[in-house]
Amino acid sequence: MKKLDWIFSLFLIIMGLTCLFFSANAFGHESFLSFGRAFFQVCMWMACPVMLLAILYLWFYLGKKSK
Amino acid sequence: MTMNRIGLKLGVAIMVLIIVILLSLGLAVDRLFTTFYDAQMKEDTHEIAAHFTTMAASGEDSSQSMIRTFAEFSNVKVYWLYADGRVLTLEGKKEQPSPSFVRKSENRRLLSGHAIEFRFQDGQHNRYYVVGKPVKRDKSTRSAIYIASSMKQIDNSLYRLRGLLILSGLGAFLLALGMILIMSKLLSRPLLQMQHMTGKMAKGDWDARLKIGGRDEIGMLGRSINDLAASLQRYRDTRQAFFSNISHELRTPVTYLQGYTKVLADGMVQSDKEKEQYLSIIYQESVRLERLINDLFDLSKMEEGQIKLTMESLDLKGPMKAALQKVKLKAENKHLSLQVDVHEHVPCIHGDRQRMEQVLLNLLENAIRFTENGTILVQLKKQNNAGVVIVADTGIGIPNEELPFIFERFYRVEKSRARKYGGTGLGLSIVKKYVEIQGGTVHVESTAGVGTTFTLTFPFEEKHEKGGMIS
């Protein structure tokens, strides 16, 4: 995959997530602050397993390569 | 941003699926909320109507003002219907005209003691949910109450909710699109690599190989394509070698024949002995040429599947003796010891005598050709329910890595061997074909520099029909 493909796909994913979180938080209290807070929290929660998977992958990959 | 066709198809198929799911889900959620709000409002309006009816039924003078106050709190409009058909609006201090939803037929129904409910939309497109309840005193209906609950707030909420549902649907769509773009690219990449590589192969580049590490079906397909490319490459190489060898093999006897016949025709022979020697060479070369042609003919017939065998009850001793007789002189000329070990009471097998003799002859000639000194052992024995023929030599042997290919047509262990030792490169291929077509197996063991052992195994004859022909 080219760099441009990754950028375009990630842009779509971020746009999609933004729309989803905005609609989830908008009803009742349409405040960008509360939306931003919720979005940040979810991103942080998502980052944890992603980081964990990346570390595990690198560990296995490098371990396999060193053998 | 480029999109390959298979990736596009995959992506579009998944997107269509996601759109269908999102639309169905959105519709279901919309109906769910609409129904929920409707039911909630009906319940509330009925409850308020029940309270107001109870207040009105008490008959106290203050009941109208109480209802008016409660109506203001409850955000509903209340209308009092008298027995003579007059309608009093309990809103504000002033008398107001009777509302447009009040109809005589519904009034009659209410005053006859029946409750009613309906929806109503005024000129400004405001929707109301109207509940009418009779006010009963002493078991008779004297008046009734209309409660009109505005649906404006619910409509506004539903409108906003639909907007947010569409936004979240769009969000889910974009999220799915982004992920599908990555997925379809990653999934279609090995297929594209295969397509690229097979395209190269079609153009004649058989050195190209795929780098696929997966162990799934796609990985297996990649490995199969690599194997196919390797087979094709080997086939091309052996075919080229075959053409090169066969032209050389044909040219050599023909050159001899031309040369010696010209010498004889021009009368350049000085003695009868010399003439005999030249004629002998001409004869040997013609025999060699005939053999080469016969091998090629057999092979072409086998390739076309047109070879016919005369299957019969066959004692292996017969063809073995005949083959040994033919190669005896060659072995003696090379000072090789030809040892024969035939076990007694080896039952007959089902085979073709002539082809079996050719199989043994090919193996023995190979053994003599590639053995410079030592012995050639031919053994016939019984093993389990099969007759086993072993041809072992103490020749130059075959390297282990070459063993899987020695039965392939035109394959030579070393290209230089062709010129040094002769042969067509077809002998072992013919051996394998003939052995297998007669229901046997051939196995080879060899050590370079030590020798080679061919083991032929044929199952003993069961109850075959005599003289069967197979092709």
Side-chain angles (χ1 to χ4, degrees):
Chain A
M1 260 180 90
K2 293 174 192 166
K3 206 179 265 181
L4 189 70
D5 296 340
W6 280 110
I7 291 170
F8 188 66
S9 305
L10 284 175
F11 172 73
L12 286 175
I13 290 171
I14 291 168
M15 283 290 290
L17 281 174
T18 312
C19 288
L20 276 171
F21 283 106
F22 187 78
S23 62
N25 283 277
F27 203 80
H29 39 84
E30 292 88 344
S31 142
F32 272 104
L33 197 68
S34 66
F35 158 72
R37 204 177 295 135
F39 191 69
F40 178 75
Q41 276 177 355
V42 171
C43 285
M44 287 311 288
W45 277 111
M46 268 183 77
C48 290
V50 169
M51 289 281 281
L52 193 72
L53 283 173
I55 289 166
L56 280 173
Y57 174 76
L58 280 174
W59 187 35
F60 278 112
Y61 181 75
L62 291 176
K64 215 174 179 183
K65 217 174 181 183
S66 65
K67 278 176 191 174
Chain B
M1 181 88 192
T2 50
M3 197 76 187
N4 52 70
R5 207 174 284 179
I6 180 86
L8 192 70
K9 277 184 185 174
L10 199 69
V12 168
I14 300 173
M15 273 326 296
V16 168
L17 199 71
I18 285 174
I19 288 170
V20 170
I21 292 169
L22 281 177
L23 283 176
S24 321
L25 198 67
L27 207 67
V29 172
D30 180 64
R31 288 311 309 154
L32 180 83
F33 277 107
T34 310
T35 317
F36 173 76
Y37 277 123
D38 248 26
Q40 195 72 38
M41 196 200 59
K42 272 184 187 176
E43 200 180 309
D44 290 349
T45 313
H46 274 282
E47 207 174 317
I48 292 166
H51 286 313
F52 289 177
T53 315
T54 314
M55 283 183 205
S58 67
E60 291 171 16
D61 294 337
S62 59
S63 61
Q64 276 198 4
S65 63
M66 274 174 66
I67 289 171
R68 193 172 296 180
T69 314
F70 276 116
E72 275 176 29
F73 284 129
S74 309
N75 201 21
V76 291
K77 288 179 179 175
V78 184
Y79 303 94
W80 196 290
L81 173 67
Y82 291 99
D84 56 3
R86 277 186 307 120
V87 177
L88 174 69
T89 307
L90 298 182
E91 192 180 17
K93 304 280 179 194
K94 284 182 188 173
E95 281 283 320
Q96 288 187 5
S98 111
S100 51
F101 62 78
V102 174
R103 293 189 195 97
K104 281 182 181 172
S105 58
E106 265 123 25
N107 289 351
R108 275 198 297 275
R109 192 170 160 71
L110 262 176
L111 291 172
S112 64
H114 295 98
I116 57 165
E117 59 178 306
F118 58 90
R119 284 169 202 274
F120 168 74
Q121 189 169 1
D122 66 10
Q124 283 84 43
H125 300 289
N126 294 319
R127 297 197 309 143
Y128 294 93
Y129 180 67
V130 182
V131 173
K133 281 202 180 260
V135 179
K136 290 183 180 176
R137 277 188 211 156
D138 306 329
K139 294 183 181 176
S140 63
T141 305
R142 299 280 177 83
S143 59
I145 284 176
Y146 276 112
I147 310 287
S149 183
S150 172
M151 293 174 75
K152 194 173 181 178
Q153 206 175 348
I154 291 171
D155 285 345
N156 283 344
S157 294
L158 280 174
Y159 179 75
R160 277 174 57 206
L161 198 70
R162 277 189 194 117
L164 292 174
L165 268 178
I166 290 169
L167 185 66
S168 46
L170 181 72
F173 176 80
L174 290 175
L175 185 68
L177 191 66
M179 287 181 170
I180 285 166
L181 273 176
I182 296 173
M183 249 174 59
S184 58
K185 282 266 177 189
L186 292 178
L187 285 175
S188 62
R189 192 168 57 178
L191 291 173
L192 287 174
Q193 283 177 344
M194 286 176 204
Q195 183 255 330
H196 187 62
M197 195 216 145
T198 45
K200 273 185 175 178
M201 280 167 66
K203 285 175 188 165
D205 179 9
W206 293 343
D207 296 323
R209 293 288 182 277
L210 282 168
K211 285 177 187 167
I212 292 176
R215 289 182 183 180
D216 56 359
E217 284 79 1
I218 290 179
M220 283 157 71
L221 180 64
R223 274 188 283 279
S224 300
I225 290 176
N226 277 346
D227 291 347
L228 180 68
S231 301
L232 284 171
Q233 196 178 17
R234 200 165 55 243
Y235 171 75
R236 181 184 60 182
D237 293 347
T238 49
R239 197 185 59 159
Q240 280 171 352
F242 165 71
F243 282 126
S244 154
N245 289 338
I246 209 76
S247 58
H248 177 261
E249 294 292 331
L250 284 168
R251 200 182 297 121
T252 312
V254 168
T255 311
Y256 277 122
L257 289 174
Q258 275 178 345
Y260 287 110
T261 46
K262 188 165 172 50
V263 168
L264 290 172
D266 292 349
M268 291 164 74
V269 188
Q270 290 176 357
S271 66
D272 281 350
K273 195 181 174 188
E274 194 181 358
K275 188 179 172 182
E276 268 178 34
Q277 193 185 349
Y278 290 167
L279 282 171
S280 169
I281 291 169
I282 289 169
Y283 175 72
Q284 280 170 13
E285 289 305 317
S286 68
V287 167
R288 188 176 160 191
L289 195 60
E290 187 194 16
R291 190 170 165 213
L292 188 64
I293 291 163
N294 283 343
D295 275 3
L296 280 171
F297 186 62
D298 281 353
L299 195 77
S300 68
K301 275 203 293 186
M302 273 191 277
E303 279 198 349
E304 289 167 17
Q306 288 181 349
I307 195 126
K308 282 183 180 170
L309 302 180
T310 310
M311 300 298 277
E312 59 186 338
S313 180
L314 179 65
D315 184 353
L316 284 167
K317 289 186 204 98
M320 186 183 274
K321 275 180 188 167
L324 282 165
Q325 195 64 38
K326 284 183 183 173
V327 297
K328 194 176 172 186
L329 195 63
K330 278 186 187 175
E332 279 174 6
N333 286 344
K334 282 187 86 175
H335 307 292
L336 296 172
S337 160
L338 203 58
Q339 293 178 358
V340 182
D341 176 19
V342 178
H343 291 203
E344 290 300 319
H345 312 300
V346 178
C348 291
I349 65 149
H350 190 65
D352 180 309
R353 183 177 299 276
Q354 201 186 336
R355 307 298 175 191
M356 192 64 76
E357 189 184 317
Q358 195 180 339
V359 165
L360 295 169
L361 198 61
N362 281 4
L363 290 177
L364 284 167
E365 281 188 344
N366 266 0
I368 293 167
R369 190 178 293 134
F370 296 111
T371 308
E372 290 308 316
N373 49 52
T375 56
I376 291 161
L377 171 70
V378 184
Q379 195 177 33
L380 172 64
K381 62 180 182 181
K382 180 183 171 185
Q383 197 173 64
N384 300 328
N385 286 319
V388 176
V389 180
I390 293 170
V391 179
D393 64 52
T394 54
I396 57 173
I398 305 163
N400 260 339
E401 61 273 15
E402 305 274 0
L403 279 177
F405 311 116
I406 60 163
F407 293 108
E408 286 183 13
R409 288 160 300 181
F410 321 130
Y411 192 83
R412 285 174 186 281
V413 173
E414 283 169 39
K415 310 308 166 241
S416 59
R417 282 190 179 187
R419 292 208 168 87
K420 190 175 175 188
Y421 298 102
T424 60
L426 303 172
L428 286 179
S429 176
I430 290 170
V431 165
K432 188 169 167 55
K433 279 271 180 193
Y434 277 152
V435 168
E436 283 176 355
I437 214 167
Q438 292 177 83
T441 56
V442 57
H443 174 72
V444 61
E445 280 175 16
S446 185
T447 309
V450 176
T452 306
T453 304
F454 285 93
T455 308
L456 311 180
T457 310
F458 296 95
F460 290 136
E461 185 185 34
E462 289 174 9
K463 284 179 182 175
H464 291 282
E465 285 180 23
K466 279 189 177 177
M469 296 270 284
I470 61 167
S471 64

